[in-house]
Amino acid sequence: MRVAFTSCFSAQSFKQQPVWDQIGAANPEHLLLLGDSAYYDADGSSISMVKAMDPDPFARHAMRRLRDQLNQPQFAKLVRRKGLHIHPIWDDHNFLWNGACGAQVFEERLHAHLIPPTRAAFQAYRDALDAHEPATFPQPSDPWRSDIKEPGYRMIDIGNAANPVRLHLTDGRSYKTAGGKDAVLGAAQMNALASAIATSSEDTVHLVASGLVFEANHGETWMTCEAEHAKMLELARNRRILILSGDVHENRFAVPQPAGKWSLFEATSSGAALRTGVTIGALQCNWGLLELTPENVVIELSQLHMPPRKRVIDRRTWKLIPGP
């Protein structure tokens, strides 16, 4: 089984997006889009502009940005590929704005009127990806639905009896508190994730899709929420967990975190089609690929003008196999 993953891309300034051709050539069965499929607050817009919008103008703004991405030719070609399952989650820039936290927005009530249209835009994006057809995305004259719930947590079994793999799609924005100190996922979502992991067979590989990086001591990270960070490490004591994260506009492997007899692993791929500072800095074409067999999990991270970097995890011991 092959699972590709990446995050952070913008159709506004990046009309050519070769990353999708590269991913298509790898022929994955699944593609994880780990947040920031559009930038509502950058690339010709700003945080202040978004905060000043009423619901209808914001809905049109968000829908237009997602529609532009769906119609980007290389992305559209990949979306239309039958047999490829695309799983998006959202992060701050295609939720509201940089660093936006759902719990804080609701508590302050200043911009809570933007929550219904952003949910509607993201759901329409998910629907178009599920349909394998960008043309199903709402047109500018179409009304947006005001009754859409938050994406929340979803679990999908994507493996089989010989190669059990469970995918966990998280929502790191709807329940996140300011700075993430009290919550990244929130209690209900964290409990659902924990239950889905704990009730699986011991040989299942758990892929946790996260907009935020797990191991980082600066920026937005799970480490700011000690309780949820500790809970993930506790779950990893008895289950095989690999976190796939985005957000930071670079590819990187985290140092495996000891969790009892096993370790918790993390691979980050961010910057599919933008620059390090969205529109300034070095051009990015970053993505990752997992090859999951009953014996190993092979992780490759690819980026512009550099050979892929590889890590191999032995599924039996859940330890890294030393490379050359």
Side-chain angles (χ1 to χ4, degrees):
M1 177 194 304
R2 290 189 166 196
V3 178
F5 60 101
T6 191
S7 63
C8 304
F9 40 99
S10 173
Q12 270 53 58
S13 292
F14 301 90
K15 305 303 182 185
Q16 294 297 314
Q17 300 184 0
V19 67
W20 312 120
D21 295 333
Q22 296 175 19
I23 289 173
N27 199 29
E29 291 96 334
H30 298 271
L31 170 60
L32 308 183
L33 302 178
L34 301 170
D36 295 342
S37 291
Y39 282 70
Y40 299 160
D41 62 327
D43 206 356
S45 185
S46 67
I47 294 176
S48 60
M49 288 172 60
V50 171
K51 288 184 174 181
M53 289 180 177
D54 289 328
D56 284 344
F58 176 73
R60 289 192 292 271
H61 172 70
M63 293 280 195
R64 181 171 59 252
R65 298 237 157 164
L66 291 172
R67 188 183 302 109
D68 287 348
Q69 181 59 46
L70 284 164
N71 289 328
Q72 196 282 326
Q74 290 146 305
F75 188 68
K77 179 181 178 181
L78 191 62
V79 168
R80 291 189 174 102
R81 176 179 290 199
K82 301 302 181 184
L84 175 63
H85 304 281
I86 305 179
H87 311 281
I89 61 174
W90 65 6
D91 199 23
D92 48 353
H93 295 286
N94 66 322
F95 169 56
L96 288 172
W97 52 77
N98 186 44
C101 301
Q104 182 181 19
V105 170
F106 275 117
E107 181 180 350
E108 294 179 351
R109 298 185 181 181
L110 294 175
H111 307 290
H113 60 282
L114 300 180
I115 298 294
T118 198
R119 290 176 177 172
F122 186 71
Q123 182 62 53
Y125 179 59
R126 276 173 39 181
D127 290 345
L129 295 175
D130 287 343
H132 297 281
E133 181 47 69
T136 63
F137 192 80
Q139 297 303 306
S141 59
D142 293 337
W144 57 275
R145 291 183 57 186
S146 60
D147 60 342
I148 303 297
K149 294 183 178 180
E150 69 275 9
Y153 165 76
R154 291 175 292 151
M155 184 276 289
I156 309 169
D157 282 309
I158 62 174
N160 53 42
N163 188 10
V165 180
R166 185 164 281 189
L167 173 61
H168 306 269
L169 302 172
T170 66
D171 176 353
R173 287 297 154 187
S174 294
Y175 318 101
K176 189 173 184 290
T177 56
K181 181 178 180 180
D182 299 315
V184 172
L185 302 185
Q189 190 177 189
M190 197 69 213
N191 288 339
L193 171 64
S195 177
I197 291 176
T199 57
S200 68
S201 63
E202 190 178 90
D203 58 345
T204 298
V205 170
H206 295 275
L207 306 178
V208 179
S210 172
L212 297 185
V213 292
F214 187 76
E215 288 296 325
N217 55 15
H218 60 86
E220 289 196 292
T221 165
W222 282 65
M223 292 184 73
T224 59
C225 183
E226 293 183 7
E228 293 185 13
H229 186 268
K231 181 64 174 178
M232 284 299 300
L233 289 173
E234 178 187 341
L235 291 167
R237 291 175 63 87
N238 299 299
R239 292 296 185 271
R240 295 162 167 83
I241 297 177
L242 168 58
I243 294 178
L244 302 174
S245 56
D247 182 54
V248 293
H249 301 181
E250 65 174 316
N251 282 350
R252 65 190 186 198
F253 291 106
V255 175
Q257 296 301 301
K261 64 178 180 179
W262 291 339
S263 295
L264 186 148
F265 292 94
E266 179 184 13
T268 301
S269 185
S270 172
L274 41 62
R275 295 182 181 274
T276 49
V278 184
T279 58
I280 60 174
L283 185 65
Q284 304 294 297
C285 183
N286 298 339
W287 62 286
L289 182 69
L290 306 180
E291 180 87 37
L292 298 112
T293 71
E295 294 78 29
N296 297 322
V297 177
V298 181
I299 314 168
E300 281 194 356
L301 297 181
S302 297
Q303 61 192 86
L304 202 60
H305 307 312
M306 294 186 67
R309 289 179 290 156
K310 181 185 290 188
R311 298 287 187 275
V312 181
I313 305 172
D314 184 316
R315 280 184 72 152
R316 181 183 61 83
T317 64
W318 204 240
K319 302 293 184 184
L320 284 177
I321 297 175

